[in-house]
Amino acid sequence: MSRTAPEIDPKSAETVTFRGFVFLANSNELRTVEGKAVNLRSQSVEVLSVLAARPGEIVSKDAIMQAVWPDTFVTEDSLTQCIADIRRALGDAAHVIVETVPRRGYRLNADPSDAADPNAAAGTERAKTRFSQRGFILAAIVLFAVAIGAYYGAEAWRAAPVRSSDMPRIAILPFDDMSTGADKGYLSDAVAEGIITELSRSKTYAVIARNSSFRYRDQPVDTRQIGDELGVDYLLEGSQQKVGDRLKVTAQLLNAHDGSHVWANSYNREIADLFVVQEEIIRTLADRVGVRIERPLPESGAARVSALRYYLMGRAAKEDFSLAGNERLRQFSLKAIEADPNSQFGYIGMAWSYRNDSVFWHKQENDPDEALKRAAEYADKAILLAPDDANAHFARAQIHSEAGEVEQAIARYDRAIVLNPSDPNILVHSAGVLLNVGRIDEAIDRIELAMGIDPFYPDWFNWQMGWALYEKHDCGAALTAMRKMSRIPSGAHRMLAGIHACLGNQREAKEALAVFLKDSPGDSISKQRKQWEKNYTAPGALDRWIGHMRFAGLPE
C-alpha cells in the first residue's frame, strides 16, 4: 500500500537497524543482522515501514492508519494487532524498540550510530558488512537472550514502566494507618485508592497502578529509589488516624527525582467526610502539578463510609480465590448493602460473587445461568446508583462476557477504561472477551500493556497469560506462565489441567483437575459445554477445551 500521509518523508532512510535487526525499506523486508528473514504479516510490515521512515520520532496513530489503510475504514484494533505482531517478532516484550507514547502514537527506537544511509543497498550482505562488529555483538546478545528464554520455556513478559516525555507520572503510596481496632488498614487504603481512581481520569497525569505503589506498604520511604523502580516523577504519601468519630488525614507530595517537598497539608474531619477529604487532596495535588480540577464535591456520610469499608474487606477476602473466599466476599457485600443501600459498593461485591459462582463454583442451586442472572441484576443496580464508577462497569462487562454478549461487554469495558485508565485489572479482564472470540494477539497485547502499567503485577495476570498462550497453542509457554504464580489458587487449577492435557501430561492434568473439583464437585463435560458454548465462539476452541477436559478426567 502506498504511504501518502504528510507526516511520512518519502526520502527516508533505505536501511534502519534496531537491536540486532535490519529493516530494508526498498524491499519492505525485516531481517536479522546475519541476514535471516523475519516473517511478518503484510500489514505489520507496512506499519513497520511507516515507523522506520521516521526512526526516533513519534508517529501518530492517525498518520500510521492513513498510510497503511488509506482507503479503508478500520478501527485502532487493527493497528494494535500489527504493533503487537511487530513486537513479538522483535522479542520486544518491554516495548523498548517499538515504544508506545501515551495519547500521541508510536516511536521506533533505532540504533543511534546507524544513521540513515541513502546509498545503502537493499541486500543483506551490505547490511551485514555495514554493521559488522557491532551487529554481530548485538546479535550474540539477542541469541543468548533467546537461548535463555527457550531454556525456561517462554519469554519474559514483565514490562518496565513506560515513560512519557510530556506527562507527569504519579504514584500514590499506601497511607500509613495510625488507627487501632477493626478499622485499621481499610480506610487508609480507601483514601489512597480514591485518589488513584480520581487522578486516573485526568488527561494530565499518568498514575501508576495500585498494586505496584502499594507494594511499599510498611517500608521506609526512599523517594528516589521508589521513583526509579516505578518510573514516576511524583510520590504522594500520607497517613490517617481514626479517633472516635474524627478522621485525621495528612498528605504530602514529593518530587521523586530529588526527594524535595512540593506540597503538604492535613485534614481533621468527621469520619463521614472521608470522600470530601479525598476530593480536597485530589484538587490540591492537581493544582500543584499544573491543572485545577473543577467538579462538585462527592456525596459523603457515615453510612457510605461504612459500606466502603465492608466492600474493601470483602475484596481482600476474595484474594484467596476459593469457594470459601468467595463466600466471605458475599457476606461482607451484604453487610455493605445493609450499611448503605444507596451506595454502589455492596452491589459491586455481590455482582462479583455471583459471577464467580457461575464460572467456577456453581453454588447457586448448581445453576450457572441463575447465578449469572443474579450477578447482572446486582451490577445493573450498582451502575444505576453510580454511573461513573469504573468498577461497576467493570463487573457488568465481565458478566456480559460470560453471557456471550460480546458487543455489550466490549462497550462496558471501554467505558470502564475511560473512567479509570490506570486500572490494569480491567485491561487484563477485558482480554478474556477477546480470547473467547479468537482475537488472541490483541488479548496478549492488552495483558502485556497491563503488566507495563503495573510493574509488580499480581499472580493472576500470569494465569490470564497462561490462558492466552493456551489459546495460541503454545502450551509450553502457557505452563511457564502459570508456574510464575507464587501460589496457584484452586480456581486456576482447571486451566492448569487443560494446559497439561494440551501437553499430553495426563497424570499432571488429572491431579490439577482434582484440586479444582474439591471446590466444584458438580462440574462435568456437559456443564462445561453448556456453560461455554454461548461465549466461547472462536472456531474449534470449545471442542479443543472439552477434549482436554475429558483427557484430564472430567466426568461426562
Side-chain angles (χ1 to χ4, degrees), residues 23 134 168 209 363 372 436 481:
F23 184 75
R134 183 171 182 270
K363 179 175 178 292
L372 199 63
N436 283 337

Side-chain angles (χ1 to χ4, degrees), residues 9-10 31 41 56 118 132 150 253 291 308 502 514:
D9 180 3
R31 296 180 177 269
R41 294 183 298 119
S132 57
L253 181 67
V291 172
L308 173 62
C502 172

Side-chain angles (χ1 to χ4, degrees), residues 311 329-334 337 345-356 371 374-375 378-379:
Y311 166 72
L329 166 63
R330 181 168 302 167
Q331 295 307 314
F332 280 121
S333 299
L334 289 171
I337 294 173
F345 304 116
Y347 300 101
I348 295 173
M350 292 296 288
W352 279 111
S353 73
Y354 278 108
R355 175 265 173 186
N356 294 341
R374 296 197 65 176
Y378 279 112

Side-chain angles (χ1 to χ4, degrees), residues 2 4 7 18 73 128 135 160 191 199 232 239 297 333 392 404 423 536 543:
S2 62
T4 59
E7 286 194 36
F18 32 85
F73 174 77
K128 289 170 60 179
V191 172
L199 285 180
V232 297
S239 65
L297 287 173
S333 299
D423 192 330
Y536 205 179
D543 288 338

Side-chain angles (χ1 to χ4, degrees), residues 254-267:
L254 306 175
N255 185 315
H257 302 294
D258 59 16
S260 61
H261 286 250
V262 179
W263 161 82
N265 207 347
S266 62
Y267 307 81

